[in-house]
Amino acid sequence: MSYGLAYPSISEIVPTVGYPASATTGTADLASLADGAGQSVGHAVDGVQATASHAMDAAGHALQELLEPAAVALGALSGALLVGRAAMVTTQALAAAAVRAADEQRCLEHVQQVAAAATAQWEAAAFAAVRANARRSALVARVRRAAFRTVPGTPPPPMPDLPPPLTCVGTRLDVLRRELAAMEKALRHAEALQDRWTMEQALGAADGPEDEDWRRRLLARREAAVRAQQEEPAPAAPAVPPQPPAADLLDRRRTEESGAELLALLEAGADPKDAELAVAAVRHAVECAAERPAKARNHLREARRFVTDANRAVRTRLSAQEKAAVQLDFLLTEAPPGEPPLAPAAEEIALLRGVLEKGRTLDADEQRTVDRRVGERLADLESRYTRELIGLAVARFADPTARGAVPADADAAAHGGAAGPLCLDLTPAGWWPDHWLRITVRDNVTEMVTMHAERPGPRGTAELALDARRCHEARGHLEELREAGLRLGIDLPVHFEESGSVVPGVRGGDGAIVLDMADVADAADAEARRTRDGTVGASGARRSEPPRARRVDEDRRSTGR
């Protein structure tokens, strides 16, 4: 027999893929991408479909080059997969994605052409939204921890006034970008308020008018530094605190300025405890600057070291908390009703909540446990996504006019139930009625077997020769499927064995959905009409609508049908 294997991997994520149980078509309906994109886009896609050698020219290539990416809304399965991928990358990568998303939005605002495909733009926007939600969660948790630890009689930190977490699924890209901009503005304002409260707590009450004046100037300089840090969401390297001036140049005024510069370089996100040692060292320097400038310089050098150490600790802590927030959000995500549930993660969720609510740090073993669970869930989602896209590729190959969907009436059986394999019987043009390809997608493997209609008795010489020919042709169809997958961002490295023999079976058996090419469907309908009506002519068999997937009823199933 001829036997093909493909091990799919995802190179890019089509943004509109939903779960089969919740989608109206059961798989990615790429035609929905045209919603809001204008009638001209729909006509352009139809034109591509009319001239494409295979259906994926419209479903994949035209999707990325003709459709306006801003009009695309994110599907539930695509969204879950993007969040999962975000949970596996570093916070620096998420910050870089936020920069890309902001740059693309600025390009659109200046009516410039954005060359990136919809998939790349959605990935950047989704990663940016994931990071914004993580920053929001980490900030709210930090404020709550600070409020809990505030000494009685001390004003608590202001609770941040923030929009609700961003929701990517079902949101158009242009709308999400506007919501991202609003969230970023609100986060910066809330972070600045929290930082001012932090520095006020670290500085304590002023000892007199002179101290109050220095305190006011220090806070103003600190606010300017925080704004500068916020303008650089993904700095290449942290700022290095400068060395203090020489002792003979130090007086009180110069010492205050040098100390304020050092404290201004504390990382935004520092807690009062992070700043305490540096603030105390600067105070000591200011107190002895007039009479003992050398000692004042030593205190400033201590303050510089405290700032450097505190910044390192703050960056590590904030990165861990944002990562915990991203992973927690991903592990709390549930599959919609009707879909197999995602693997439970109660232990990992408890660990991540401890990071945010109690400020604890995961040890290496705990972090590996969380990463492993995140990886398992991501692999599960990737398997579901791959199954949907390969089913789409096969359906589009069978019928270029189907506009990228396995028909709804075929969906439940095509997916073998919620958790079963995707099984399709595809009859290429010219193969009717005796041969077809059975394509089965299970886990992370796609199998393709050449089949023939099972009949009693031995096969003759002509039939065996036709079997060998169909086996040889199957290699080309497997390559066409690989190319179709590439157009949808699915890489399908294939392995093919050709033996010249085929597997006997029943078309539509084992719960498979029959997907016929147009000429095959015409022939099948004509034969069915002749059988039903007892007629000989086939003139009435011409179809008035695109061919559809067919279910073979058990009581009507026969050899070759």
Side-chain angles (χ1 to χ4, degrees):
M1 69 174 180
S2 61
Y3 181 71
L5 275 180
Y7 300 92
S9 61
I10 302 170
S11 56
E12 57 183 20
I13 297 174
V14 175
T16 56
V17 182
Y19 288 94
S22 59
T24 57
T25 60
T27 189
D29 185 359
L30 296 188
S32 66
L33 288 174
D35 293 343
Q39 291 298 321
S40 61
V41 173
H43 296 326
V45 172
D46 292 339
V48 174
Q49 290 173 333
T51 59
S53 59
H54 295 295
M56 297 319 299
D57 290 335
H61 188 69
L63 158 67
Q64 296 193 12
E65 293 194 1
L66 298 180
L67 293 177
E68 169 54 53
V72 176
L74 191 64
L77 186 51
S78 299
L81 193 54
L82 285 170
V83 174
R85 288 194 164 187
M88 295 295 286
V89 303
T90 64
T91 53
Q92 290 83 354
L94 294 181
V99 173
R100 290 198 304 275
D103 288 343
E104 288 166 359
Q105 177 63 18
R106 283 192 289 269
C107 287
L108 291 176
E109 289 171 353
H110 291 85
V111 201
Q112 297 175 7
Q113 179 65 35
V114 179
T119 52
Q121 292 188 43
W122 251 114
E123 180 179 280
F127 277 25
V130 168
R131 179 174 184 257
N133 285 342
R135 286 172 58 198
R136 181 188 185 280
S137 297
L139 176 61
V140 170
R142 181 157 57 93
V143 172
R144 287 174 177 168
R145 292 196 308 269
F148 179 76
R149 297 168 182 168
T150 300
V151 177
T154 303
M159 286 303 297
D161 182 15
L162 297 170
L166 298 171
T167 301
C168 295
V169 173
T171 303
R172 284 168 47 122
L173 182 56
D174 54 349
V175 174
L176 178 62
R177 283 172 171 160
R178 290 195 294 270
E179 293 176 351
L180 263 171
M183 177 67 82
E184 179 65 26
K185 182 177 180 181
L187 280 171
R188 291 184 178 188
H189 179 69
E191 288 168 348
L193 289 179
Q194 175 64 15
D195 186 81
R196 183 178 180 88
W197 178 87
T198 296
M199 292 305 299
E200 288 175 344
Q201 298 305 303
L203 290 171
D207 294 335
E210 189 175 26
D211 190 44
E212 178 61 34
D213 179 64
W214 172 72
R215 191 174 183 272
R216 185 170 54 253
R217 285 186 285 112
L218 188 151
L219 290 174
R221 187 156 187 173
R222 173 66 183 170
E223 289 176 358
V226 169
R227 285 195 300 271
Q229 288 185 38
Q230 291 175 336
E231 293 297 329
E232 299 287 343
V240 178
Q243 291 287 351
D248 56 353
L249 298 177
L250 286 177
D251 55 15
R252 182 182 177 92
R253 184 73 174 186
R254 187 71 181 272
T255 302
E256 288 177 348
E257 291 177 357
S258 181
E261 183 178 8
L262 288 172
L263 295 179
L265 292 177
L266 272 170
E267 284 284 330
D271 291 335
K273 190 174 181 179
D274 298 316
E276 284 176 357
L277 291 176
V279 168
V282 169
R283 282 195 176 279
H284 290 318
V286 171
E287 290 171 359
C288 63
E291 299 179 357
R292 304 176 65 183
K295 186 174 182 180
R297 188 175 189 274
N298 287 337
H299 285 305
L300 289 177
R301 292 178 64 185
E302 287 181 343
R304 179 180 182 273
R305 186 174 72 254
F306 292 146
V307 167
T308 301
D309 294 343
N311 283 349
R312 186 182 302 111
V314 170
R315 285 192 298 271
T316 300
R317 185 175 66 242
L318 291 181
S319 178
Q321 290 173 357
E322 288 185 12
K323 180 177 181 178
V326 172
Q327 294 185 323
L328 178 61
D329 181 56
F330 178 57
L331 293 180
L332 287 173
T333 302
E334 297 180 353
E339 278 292 304
L342 298 169
E347 177 184 350
E348 293 79 8
I349 288 172
L351 289 173
L352 295 171
R353 280 180 168 155
V355 174
L356 294 174
E357 296 173 2
K358 300 178 182 178
R360 67 180 300 265
T361 302
L362 299 183
D363 61 34
D365 289 339
E366 290 172 332
Q367 188 62 63
R368 278 193 293 269
T369 298
V370 171
D371 291 343
R372 182 166 56 251
R373 179 64 69 196
V374 170
E376 290 172 355
R377 181 169 288 198
L378 178 59
D380 182 5
L381 290 170
E382 286 179 341
S383 178
R384 301 183 193 205
Y385 175 90
T386 300
R387 185 177 64 175
E388 290 301 301
L389 266 292
I390 292 177
L392 169 63
V394 175
R396 296 292 292 133
F397 175 63
D399 180 11
T401 64
R403 302 195 70 187
V406 174
D409 57 358
D411 176 63
H415 289 85
L422 170 67
C423 189
L424 301 168
D425 279 355
L426 171 66
T427 308
W431 283 33
W432 176 268
D434 292 321
H435 294 83
W436 67 92
L437 295 170
R438 174 157 294 177
I439 300 171
T440 305
V441 185
R442 56 169 59 89
D443 297 328
N444 292 317
V445 178
T446 299
E447 302 173 349
M448 186 174 78
V449 179
T450 309
M451 308 281 291
H452 76 80
E454 185 176 13
R455 291 185 177 91
R459 295 181 69 75
T461 303
E463 290 174 318
L464 292 175
L466 184 57
D467 289 347
R469 183 171 141 198
R470 295 294 184 242
C471 283
H472 182 72
E473 293 172 350
R475 181 188 297 272
H477 291 305
L478 183 59
E479 181 63 25
E480 289 171 340
L481 179 60
R482 188 189 72 83
E483 293 175 358
L486 285 175
R487 289 193 174 100
L488 283 176
I490 301 292
D491 188 15
L492 290 167
V494 299
H495 170 72
F496 185 81
E497 295 179 2
E498 181 180 339
S499 67
S501 61
V502 296
V503 177
V506 177
R507 182 183 280 106
D510 301 322
I513 290 302
V514 178
L515 292 174
D516 296 331
M517 303 291 283
D519 66 332
V520 175
D522 287 343
D525 282 0
E527 182 177 332
R529 183 172 285 105
R530 287 196 300 271
T531 301
R532 184 179 66 250
D533 300 337
T535 61
V536 178
S539 59
R542 185 172 303 277
R543 299 170 62 88
S544 60
E545 59 182 22
R548 297 170 296 175
R550 298 184 292 116
R551 285 301 309 277
V552 180
D553 296 336
E554 295 295 335
D555 58 350
R556 295 181 57 244
R557 184 171 294 157
S558 62
T559 301
R561 184 68 70 79

